Amino acid sequence: MHHRRPAVPHSHRPNHRQINRLMPFTTAPLFHALQLLETGDSARFHMPGHKGEPVFNTYADIFAIDFTETYGTGNLYTGEGPIRDAEVAAARYFGSEDCFFLTGGSTQGILAMLGTAVGRGGAVLLDREVHKSVCYGCALLGITPYFFSAPLIEPFAVSGALPVKDAEAQLIAHPEIKAILLTSPTYYGIRRAIPEFADLCRAHGKLLLVDGAHGAHFPAVGLPTPVAEGADMAVLSMHKTLPCMGQGAVLLSAAGVDRRALRENTMLFGTSSPSYPIMASIDLARAYTEGPGHAEYRRSAETCAELRAYVQHRTMFTALTEDHFPALDPCRLTVCTAGTDITGHQLADTLWSECGVACEMADDRNVVFILTGSDPNGAISRLKRGLRRISRRRELIPLPSLSAPFPPAERVMSVRDAWFSQTGRVQPAAAEGLVCARPVTPYPPGVPLLWPGEKITGAHIALIRERWYNTIDEITVVVHQ
């Protein structure tokens, strides 16, 4: 008798089966293929070690579809089988020429984009608020970064519109730059003018790369992806805003991009054993938002608009709205506490301790909440009650002075040399005049205030003291090159 996987009680997977009934398996080709293998008659003498058996009840459904490269599963890095079918379906949905699945998050995609578009020893122009993974790419590939930045939106002290003219000035001053890399949307929900930067890059023969990690839900709310707007490559973190397992992401590319090089670089910066459950969840998340989830995300955007109005009219706090900036992520709520006697960090901590409401991130002035199609009505009500209740106990105070922008970068050493130098750690007050060796990142959101190779100035120390004093207690500096 053939050995079969014991049946798992339905109580262990009600949501799994309910969601599957909502959409035909054929709209998610990779997940469908793994389910066929799961229910087939086979003996698994290959990894992973659980062999699909429900060793732990909590993981029963996951183990069942957790395969490796074998008969019928396809191979991610050779671009074949049901994985490739799922990538093609995602490319169509996201409005791109091609799509590559990632199981190492958008970080893997950012490294692959840099390797393909810039290469070893090249130069790239960066939005100053790029994620720290871009710093890792510069260290690994010996890339020279140049920066430009946006004026701040007050009282939030978050970056607004990136000046295209400043980017063009950098391209003219540094013709060795091969690509521009932008973040859109930002952690606070600011969307960049992708078409304008795409035109700029075409005019100067450069490539446009976009870290769109927080925008995978855009098609579900009627917004284009960066590649659909003209970018050459973009990464989307499916797991951040769609119903996808952690680390699931996609790398989109436009026509004219070297697909073979891009695939090879995703392999270079990824694991040789990509997770099939993660890839299947990417496939399912796309199929779900393309189908029944589409209406849920539209409702989520409507809910976010209602929450912004609620914050504006029923609390002492200020919500980031289109009145402050015209192009926002419609599913992100940024609540500012400036002008009240509570900081963003304190509001976040109080919401958690008193109301059980967990935010995405907080800084000195803001608290950020991500809304998706999976938020139950009770959670929305709890957030509203919490903000209202805490607001009633607060007092209004004068607005803070204008926040200092990012100090100009003064690079005295390459990112790579600084990273691999002998290092030590000092308190911020003792760091002035030294060379940064690791990104100084008030995480979240993971935007480096200082990059390796930059000289630490009094302006940096003042900004740390003003906004991140309680989150940055040491800085890694170069001791000996």
Side-chain angles (χ1 to χ4, degrees), residues 3-9 13 52-54:
H3 181 67
R4 291 182 180 271
R5 185 174 65 87
V8 179
R13 48 187 177 185
E53 299 295 324

Side-chain angles (χ1 to χ4, degrees), residues 228-267:
E229 287 192 288
D232 295 287
M233 291 174 252
V235 292
L236 308 177
S237 281
M238 302 286 281
H239 71 98
K240 282 183 166 62
T241 60
L242 297 184
C244 176
M245 289 181 65
Q247 297 181 213
V250 295
L251 172 52
L252 308 179
S253 66
V257 173
D258 188 338
R259 299 183 189 181
R260 180 174 179 178
L262 204 52
R263 177 78 76 181
E264 289 175 344
N265 280 313
T266 63
M267 179 170 55

Side-chain angles (χ1 to χ4, degrees), residues 40-229:
D41 186 7
S42 64
R44 293 168 61 168
F45 290 98
H46 53 72
M47 61 181 186
H50 54 68
K51 304 301 182 74
E53 299 295 324
V55 181
F56 311 117
N57 285 339
T58 301
Y59 290 90
D61 287 321
I62 299 298
F63 280 0
I65 61 168
D66 188 15
F67 284 86
T68 187
E69 293 81 4
T70 186
Y71 304 102
T73 63
N75 187 309
L76 174 63
Y77 297 128
T78 58
E80 61 186 40
I83 300 175
R84 185 57 187 159
D85 294 337
E87 289 179 330
V88 170
R92 182 194 67 247
Y93 175 65
F94 288 118
S96 62
E97 180 73 14
D98 210 343
C99 174
F100 304 88
F101 280 9
L102 308 170
T103 62
S106 281
T107 294
Q108 181 188 1
I110 285 171
L111 297 177
M113 285 197 305
L114 289 172
T116 303
V118 182
R120 182 174 65 89
V124 64
L125 177 59
L126 304 173
D127 162 8
R128 182 69 214 204
E129 296 198 35
V130 293
H131 189 259
K132 61 182 178 180
S133 57
V134 180
C135 178
Y136 303 156
C138 291
L140 289 169
L141 294 166
I143 291 173
T144 299
Y146 294 97
F147 299 99
F148 72 120
S149 58
L152 301 180
I153 304 170
E154 298 292 352
F156 305 88
V158 302
S159 67
L162 285 166
V164 176
K165 61 179 178 59
D166 291 357
E168 184 166 31
Q170 288 278 46
L171 294 182
I172 294 171
H174 305 286
E176 71 274 19
I177 290 172
K178 295 183 178 180
I180 299 177
L181 196 160
L182 309 178
T183 302
S184 182
T186 69
Y187 231 99
Y188 300 95
I190 300 295
R191 290 160 45 209
R192 305 302 193 194
I194 302 300
E196 295 180 24
F197 282 98
D199 289 342
L200 173 68
C201 286
R202 280 192 291 270
H204 288 267
K206 314 297 182 182
L207 294 176
L208 179 59
L209 320 178
V210 178
D211 175 1
H214 286 266
H217 62 291
F218 275 13
V221 293
L223 293 174
T225 63
V227 170
E229 287 192 288

Side-chain angles (χ1 to χ4, degrees), residues 16 35 38 48 87 105 140 158 211-212 231 260 264 340 342 357 364 472:
H16 176 77
Q35 283 236 312
E38 171 203 354
E87 289 179 330
L140 289 169
V158 302
D211 175 1
R260 180 174 179 178
E264 289 175 344
T340 72
I342 189 173
V357 171
D364 191 60
I472 299 175

Side-chain angles (χ1 to χ4, degrees), residues 157-385:
V158 302
S159 67
L162 285 166
V164 176
K165 61 179 178 59
D166 291 357
E168 184 166 31
Q170 288 278 46
L171 294 182
I172 294 171
H174 305 286
E176 71 274 19
I177 290 172
K178 295 183 178 180
I180 299 177
L181 196 160
L182 309 178
T183 302
S184 182
T186 69
Y187 231 99
Y188 300 95
I190 300 295
R191 290 160 45 209
R192 305 302 193 194
I194 302 300
E196 295 180 24
F197 282 98
D199 289 342
L200 173 68
C201 286
R202 280 192 291 270
H204 288 267
K206 314 297 182 182
L207 294 176
L208 179 59
L209 320 178
V210 178
D211 175 1
H214 286 266
H217 62 291
F218 275 13
V221 293
L223 293 174
T225 63
V227 170
E229 287 192 288
D232 295 287
M233 291 174 252
V235 292
L236 308 177
S237 281
M238 302 286 281
H239 71 98
K240 282 183 166 62
T241 60
L242 297 184
C244 176
M245 289 181 65
Q247 297 181 213
V250 295
L251 172 52
L252 308 179
S253 66
V257 173
D258 188 338
R259 299 183 189 181
R260 180 174 179 178
L262 204 52
R263 177 78 76 181
E264 289 175 344
N265 280 313
T266 63
M267 179 170 55
L268 173 65
F269 294 109
T271 172
S272 60
S273 299
S275 165
Y276 276 78
I278 291 177
M279 290 189 288
S281 72
I282 295 172
D283 192 26
L284 277 174
R286 187 271 314 155
Y288 175 70
T289 50
E290 191 172 14
H294 182 77
E296 298 298 328
Y297 275 83
R298 289 299 180 100
R299 280 192 284 271
S300 177
E302 294 171 358
T303 299
C304 187
E306 293 169 359
L307 279 169
R308 289 171 181 167
Y310 183 88
V311 171
Q312 293 291 82
H313 299 109
R314 302 291 300 278
T315 78
M316 290 185 180
F317 309 126
T318 304
L320 181 62
T321 70
E322 283 83 1
D323 291 336
H324 301 103
F325 192 82
L328 296 180
D329 176 350
C331 292
R332 185 147 305 208
L333 175 66
T334 296
V335 177
C336 181
T337 64
T340 72
D341 61 347
I342 189 173
T343 68
H345 289 296
Q346 291 168 340
L347 175 58
D349 291 344
T350 306
L351 280 169
W352 173 249
S353 62
E354 294 186 5
C355 310
V357 171
C359 66
E360 167 62 20
M361 60 84 65
D363 63 24
D364 191 60
R365 296 190 185 187
N366 306 288
V367 186
V368 176
F369 306 88
I370 296 176
L371 279 75
T372 75
S374 302
D375 293 311
N377 291 333
I380 301 299
S381 298
R382 184 186 293 195
L383 173 58
K384 292 171 67 174
R385 287 196 305 268

